[in-house]
Structure formats: C-alpha cells, structure tokens
Amino acid sequence: MASNDRSDLAHFLRQRRAAMTPPGSHGQPRSSRRRVAGLRRQEVADLTGISVEYYTRLEQGKAPRPSREILTALAQGFALTGPERAHLFRLGGESPPELATPESVVRPGLMRMLRGLDETMPVTVHDGRLDLLARNKRAAELLPPFDVTGRFGRNLAYQAFTTTALTGLLGDGADQFLRVAAAELRTALSRYPNDDYLRGMLAELTATSPTFRDYWERGEVIAWRSATKQLHHSTYGRVSFDIELLHDPERDHWVMLYTPRDDA
C-alpha cells in the first residue's frame, strides 16, 4: 500500500481474528459466553507477541505502517497459508517474503497433467534451483537421461557445463543455452543467497569448468519465458519446438511446455 490508508489491512485482520477458534473451545463447552466469534484482541496479542494496544490500532486502521517483523508475527499467529501471508504483506505495504527453499514435491494435479500429455508434447518441471523434478514420457524420449546418483546430477545448469548431452542436442543453439544456464544460476543464487546446495554447485563448477567460468564472468542476467528451439535428435532427426515456461510461485516450480512447430 503506497498511502497511509490501512483500512484493507484492518478489515483483513478483523476477518482473520473472527475466523480463529477460541482457546479451549475445540468441541468443549466455553467457560464464558462470547458476544462475537473468534478470538479476543488480547488473545491475538498473546499469540503474536504484539501489544494489545498496538494490535487494536491496527484493526482500527490507525496504526503506523507495520514492520516486516510485525507482519511475520501476525502471519504466524493466525497460521496463514502461503497465499494469505503474501496478501497480508502486500496489505501492509511490504513485498511478500521469499521461500526459504523451493518445494521438492510436484503437485499431484500437475503430475496428472504431465501424464495426460504423454502422447501430445514433451513437458518438464524444474524448481527454482534448476533441479529437474519431473518429466513426462515424451520428454524422456526427447531429452537425454540425467545422472541421478551425483549430488548435482539432476540440475540443469550443472548438466550444461559438465556433459555434452544437452549442448550436443542443441547444436548451433548451444551457446545461447549456456548463457541462459549461467544467468539462471545467478538468478537462483540471488533468490536463495544462503543455499548450501547452490553455493556448493557454484564452487564446484568454478573450480572444474573453464567453460563455466567464461560464461559466469560475463555477469549476464537473462530472463526468458518463451523461445523457439531446434533440436538435433539421434532418433527423430531435426525437430523444432515453441517452448513456454509457466511459474508456480507458491512452490517455485517451473513447467516447460514443448509445443511441436508446424514446420517440424
């Protein structure tokens, strides 16, 4: 919120407080009658560690802009979901907190979609650290296998600079792929700067791959969500795809759809 108007934040807090279950009322008779549903303001203050006076002013839309610490305490006290927490932060005039790490499990519905497209197009899913999480049958037929035994074996950036499987498949497009791989790794590190996995991979690639060092030292930041790629496949020959990337911000998962081109 750019202005000092806190009415939307106040309304949201009142709604969340009313939706909370009072302590001791989980199927048990109340020790005293309540005139309104949900928690009392003092109970919210106790849950969040915020003074009841300040919380009351928040609900009345009269408090100064809350700090990120206050918003974090409110989110924890109300046990907000990820989307609810992000909404609270935006109402409080702050950007939503980043994930500490991407989720490692793909949504069941997304996995069903991948299987449903087995005969239609290749589809892959990778996370914000560039680890391949899933791919459907068509993608497994089209793309080279990944070494799942090594620590970084399922990472796209690591594969780009330690094997020739992907660069060989891309032919003349290998240079662009390597540029994007280094740039996407830089983006991942900026989002997860203290991630031991990413920092370990960066250290290993820097120490062992002159090619990686060359691309990394360019300092490029590239964000692409659409591309056309021509692959040189040993079985299918020359095939072309329009590629679209779709993002699930709640889990930091990326869905890559390979749509065959009409001229393929």
Side-chain angles (χ1 to χ4, degrees), residues 184-204:
E184 290 287 2
L185 178 56
R186 178 172 282 103
T187 298
L189 277 161
S190 70
R191 184 165 191 184
Y192 305 108
N194 300 315
D195 188 278
D196 290 339
Y197 174 84
L198 288 173
R199 301 199 69 81
M201 184 169 60
L202 174 64
E204 181 173 325

Side-chain angles (χ1 to χ4, degrees), residues 120-121 138 227-230 238-243 258-264:
T120 304
M121 67 172 65
R138 284 291 300 276
T228 298
K229 287 192 180 297
Q230 189 173 83
R238 192 183 299 268
V239 288
S240 298
F241 297 91
D242 288 323
I243 297 178
Y258 291 72
T259 305
R261 291 179 63 85
D262 293 338
D263 57 355

Side-chain angles (χ1 to χ4, degrees), residues 9 26 29 45 115 127 174 181 251 254:
L9 174 61
H26 297 274
R115 291 192 293 269
D127 66 16
R251 298 196 174 200
W254 293 89

Side-chain angles (χ1 to χ4, degrees), residues 105-118:
V105 178
V106 180
R107 297 181 189 277
L110 181 54
M111 289 301 299
R112 287 193 292 272
M113 185 194 82
L114 264 66
R115 291 192 293 269
L117 293 172
D118 273 343

Side-chain angles (χ1 to χ4, degrees), residues 30-135:
R30 292 179 179 175
S31 58
S32 62
R33 298 185 63 85
R34 293 175 183 252
R35 290 177 296 174
V36 295
L39 300 184
R40 297 187 176 99
R41 286 172 177 163
Q42 182 62 60
E43 291 166 339
V44 173
D46 293 341
L47 277 174
T48 59
I50 300 171
S51 73
V52 68
E53 293 81 8
Y54 181 68
Y55 179 76
T56 299
R57 294 178 66 198
L58 282 173
E59 275 204 5
Q60 294 172 343
K62 297 178 180 179
R65 174 174 169 170
S67 66
R68 293 187 69 84
E69 291 74 18
I70 291 292
L71 295 170
T72 298
L74 289 168
Q76 292 173 346
F78 284 128
L80 299 183
T81 64
E84 289 171 338
R85 182 176 63 249
H87 183 62
L88 172 69
F89 271 72
R90 293 189 188 98
L91 291 178
E94 295 283 345
S95 58
E98 297 282 1
L99 292 173
T101 186
E103 291 284 347
S104 60
V105 178
V106 180
R107 297 181 189 277
L110 181 54
M111 289 301 299
R112 287 193 292 272
M113 185 194 82
L114 264 66
R115 291 192 293 269
L117 293 172
D118 273 343
E119 306 303 326
T120 304
M121 67 172 65
V123 186
T124 65
V125 182
H126 65 270
D127 66 16
R129 297 195 300 188
L130 305 177
D131 274 359
L132 180 72
L133 301 179
R135 56 184 176 181

